[in-house]
Amino acid sequence: MILLDDINTGEAYGRLGTADTSAPLPDSDAKNRDIEDLEGSTTSVEPEATPPRDPDIVDWEGPNDPANPHNWSSARKVMAVALVSTVTFVTPLASSIFSPSIEQVMLEFKSTNQELASFIVSVYLLGYCFGPLLVAPLSEMYGRNPLYHVCNVLFVVFNVACAKAPSLASLIIFRFLAGLAGCCPLTIGAGTIADLISAEKRGGAMAFWVMGPLLGPVIGPIAGGYLTEAKDWRWSFWVVSIVGGAVAVMSFIFMRETDAHTLLEQKAKKLRKETGNPKLRSVHDTGRTTKELFKTAIIRPCKMLIFSPIVFSLSLYMAIVYGYLYLLFTAMPLVFETQYGFTTGKVGLTYLGFGIGSMIGLAIAGGTSDRLAQRLTKKNGGESKPEYRLPVMGIGSVFVPVGLFMFGWTAENNDHWILPIIGTSFVGIGMVAAFMSISIYLVDAYTEHSVSAIAASTVFRSLLGALLPLAGQKMFKALGLGWGSSLLAFIAVAMIPVAIFLVKYGEKIRHYTIFNMKID
């Protein structure tokens, strides 16, 4: 048997027997005797020929090809990650910037339906439920950039429509459509990170990207509260449209394609035109038609969610935590306006608890994810596994129920206003730990189809994030803030063993699918 140092060029250098007779290895007789002892006979070791490369296959020009996004310069990678992170910040910002002004909206449109008031805020997340099912397959077929650009433009258009909405019904429809367009960076952003950054360094880059979906919903209510006081509720949408428009222009100028499948297909198309050889095709070309590719890609997220227990379990956990976030968002005005007498602007500041907690969680998770994964890899014989990303989630799962208990009972007892805000910061820490661990895990475990895995998770958590707040106000009125929050906390406590179980047995579960269903 022979080890190959360079499988791309076909150059082989002998380790046990030498392929270069001009430079024999020292002690070759001793090595041959060892081989005889092991195999029972003397065997002549011949170099194994590398299979000839199909001249019609288009691939990267070796492992250091500068066209491969993995080989881009650090500055170029930083620019790409920063752009994606900025886009990913703006769309979640729009999900919550509107929440402090909901009472003003209901007054203007002469409605007293509280469930409808909550739905106007959460309907945006319903767009996040359905959008990924279309965005994910299209990105795998046509690349990341076209999806970013189209969705950025549509996002701005629908937010302008929200700002000009003449009725409650039109506002709900335009909010939903804005959510459909806004789901794009959340769906394919992690895939872009995977295109650029190797697995062992992915944690730091993912931490930068995760800041968007975590800080956007927190900063939104702060800005929205003061905008509503100074102007009116429509200015929340105008600000989002202005920021979204600026980001869209930056993306058109600076963003470049990162998807390897798309880049190699573009390269093959160019070479076919230059050489006149119609047989040239990308190494990733499966020979399937566009219709077949789309059909496979569009059902893949659903199949992952339904038939892959590990994807379902992690998505369920993230959905519960994400649903709690938006449920608390709808409860904050009730708590701090009614019990503590805060103005609309000051209520917006109370969301800083989530923001500070998220930043603390981000620092902890971002600083430990790569190091912990590398340490566990070294400890287990150098074999890297996606499951080495999950211990951070297990630790963070403890913070969520602690934060919920603290928020509910301090608000119930009308304790100092800072205490329920501190409670929300604990929820923020746990949410970040879960979000980051799960996102990196899905990318590491399903690199080639990471966009579909993230889409499956996004659909599930957005659905719960949209629906759970609808029951929030009724629950708090029926049970009170203390026992209402405790009910949520007890569910979160029950989820702690699930997180620990997935850390321990996640690898076995990952390789199992219900009914042995083939995901791809």
Side-chain angles (χ1 to χ4, degrees):
M1 181 179 178
I2 190 168
L3 300 178
L4 301 181
D5 281 340
D6 192 339
I7 61 173
N8 294 306
T9 61
E11 295 173 6
Y13 303 90
R15 302 289 187 183
L16 294 176
T18 177
D20 185 357
T21 57
S22 65
L25 290 174
D27 301 327
S28 58
D29 290 339
K31 292 180 182 291
N32 288 334
R33 284 195 297 272
D34 289 340
I35 294 173
E36 288 177 6
D37 292 339
L38 289 171
E39 299 184 2
S41 62
T42 303
T43 304
S44 176
V45 181
E46 296 292 338
E48 296 176 4
T50 303
R53 178 174 168 177
D54 187 339
D56 292 330
I57 294 294
V58 177
D59 201 351
W60 301 119
E61 302 300 325
N64 299 317
D65 188 345
N68 186 339
H70 268 282
N71 297 323
W72 286 1
S73 66
S74 297
R76 195 176 178 188
K77 287 183 179 181
V78 168
M79 170 64 79
V81 173
L83 278 171
V84 173
S85 300
T86 303
V87 178
T88 314
F89 167 79
V90 175
T91 58
L93 175 76
S95 70
S96 62
I97 193 173
F98 179 62
S99 56
S101 57
I102 189 63
E103 293 300 327
Q104 195 178 98
V105 174
M106 302 304 283
L107 284 173
E108 179 172 329
F109 293 120
K110 298 179 176 58
S111 175
T112 58
N113 189 322
Q114 290 303 310
E115 286 74 23
L116 186 60
S118 297
F119 185 66
I120 297 171
V121 177
S122 62
V123 70
Y124 184 88
L125 296 181
L126 283 183
Y128 279 9
C129 294
F130 299 103
L133 299 177
L134 185 62
V135 169
L138 288 176
S139 74
E140 292 185 358
M141 293 172 60
Y142 301 109
R144 320 283 192 221
N145 259 23
L147 271 297
Y148 280 126
H149 296 329
V150 170
C151 289
N152 283 345
V153 172
L154 290 176
F155 176 76
V156 173
V157 168
F158 291 132
N159 272 285
V160 170
C162 287
K164 301 289 289 181
S167 65
L168 210 54
S170 62
L171 178 60
I172 291 172
I173 292 171
F174 291 138
R175 279 277 287 172
F176 172 74
L177 294 174
L180 277 176
C183 78
C184 177
L186 289 171
T187 305
I188 66 178
T192 300
I193 303 296
D195 294 340
L196 295 164
I197 312 296
S198 57
E200 63 272 12
K201 299 178 181 178
R202 198 169 286 153
M206 287 290 289
F208 195 43
W209 173 73
V210 162
M211 288 177 66
L214 296 178
L215 294 184
V218 173
I219 294 174
I222 299 172
Y226 283 105
L227 277 170
T228 302
E229 275 193 344
K231 296 287 186 178
D232 62 23
W233 63 270
R234 296 180 187 273
W235 265 95
S236 297
F237 295 109
W238 285 121
V239 167
V240 170
S241 302
I242 292 168
V243 175
V247 170
V249 171
M250 289 174 58
S251 299
F252 273 113
I253 297 172
F254 297 110
M255 190 173 280
R256 297 292 180 267
E257 184 59 64
T258 62
D259 180 51
H261 294 68
T262 303
L263 291 172
L264 288 173
E265 181 55 44
Q266 291 173 353
K267 181 179 178 181
K269 185 177 180 181
K270 182 180 178 182
L271 289 174
R272 284 195 295 268
K273 184 177 181 181
E274 291 176 351
T275 64
N277 181 2
K279 296 181 180 179
L280 291 173
R281 64 190 188 279
S282 164
V283 68
H284 298 295
D285 189 347
T286 60
R288 289 184 288 183
T289 65
T290 301
K291 183 179 180 181
E292 290 172 336
L293 287 171
F294 183 76
K295 183 180 178 181
T296 300
I298 201 169
I299 63 174
R300 187 183 294 121
C302 294
K303 288 172 71 175
M304 281 183 161
L305 191 59
I306 296 170
F307 296 109
S308 173
I310 191 69
V311 173
F312 176 82
S313 301
L314 292 173
S315 299
L316 174 63
Y317 182 80
M318 189 64 240
I320 290 173
V321 177
Y322 202 68
Y324 286 173
L325 174 69
Y326 279 90
L327 192 151
L328 292 178
F329 275 2
T330 60
M332 298 293 269
L334 172 69
V335 171
F336 288 98
E337 284 183 1
T338 305
Q339 292 194 206
Y340 293 99
F342 282 21
T343 63
T344 303
K346 288 182 178 179
V347 167
L349 290 175
T350 62
Y351 293 82
L352 279 174
F354 290 107
I356 293 171
S358 296
M359 291 302 294
I360 294 172
L362 195 61
I364 295 172
T368 59
S369 182
D370 283 342
R371 293 179 183 177
L372 183 59
Q374 290 166 10
R375 188 178 302 168
L376 291 173
T377 298
K378 185 177 180 180
K379 182 180 179 181
N380 291 277
E383 183 183 0
S384 178
K385 297 178 182 179
E387 284 71 29
Y388 297 157
R389 301 290 188 176
L390 295 180
V392 176
M393 182 189 75
I395 296 169
S397 65
V398 177
F399 285 90
V400 176
V402 170
L404 289 168
F405 281 126
M406 186 172 182
F407 170 81
W409 289 108
T410 54
E412 177 80 18
N413 298 328
N414 208 26
D415 293 329
H416 193 278
W417 55 266
I418 195 63
L419 295 176
I421 293 176
I422 292 174
T424 63
S425 71
F426 282 109
V427 176
I429 293 172
M431 180 185 66
V432 169
F435 192 98
M436 186 168 169
S437 297
I438 292 170
S439 296
I440 302 177
Y441 174 87
L442 292 176
V443 170
D444 286 355
Y446 304 97
T447 304
E448 186 177 355
H449 299 304
S450 59
V451 169
S452 294
I454 294 291
S457 178
T458 302
V459 167
F460 204 175
R461 75 166 184 266
S462 299
L463 183 62
L464 216 57
L467 298 180
L468 197 57
L470 300 181
Q473 291 197 15
K474 283 188 174 181
M475 180 190 70
F476 285 127
K477 284 181 180 179
L479 301 177
L481 289 168
W483 283 112
S485 295
S486 295
L487 175 62
L488 304 178
F490 288 137
I491 297 172
V493 169
M495 295 299 291
I496 294 175
V498 174
I500 297 171
F501 179 83
L502 292 177
V503 170
K504 190 171 183 180
Y505 299 105
E507 182 181 9
K508 292 181 179 179
I509 301 173
R510 173 163 52 92
H511 294 299
Y512 172 78
T513 57
I514 297 174
F515 305 130
N516 293 318
M517 176 65 67
K518 188 177 180 182
I519 295 299
D520 191 11

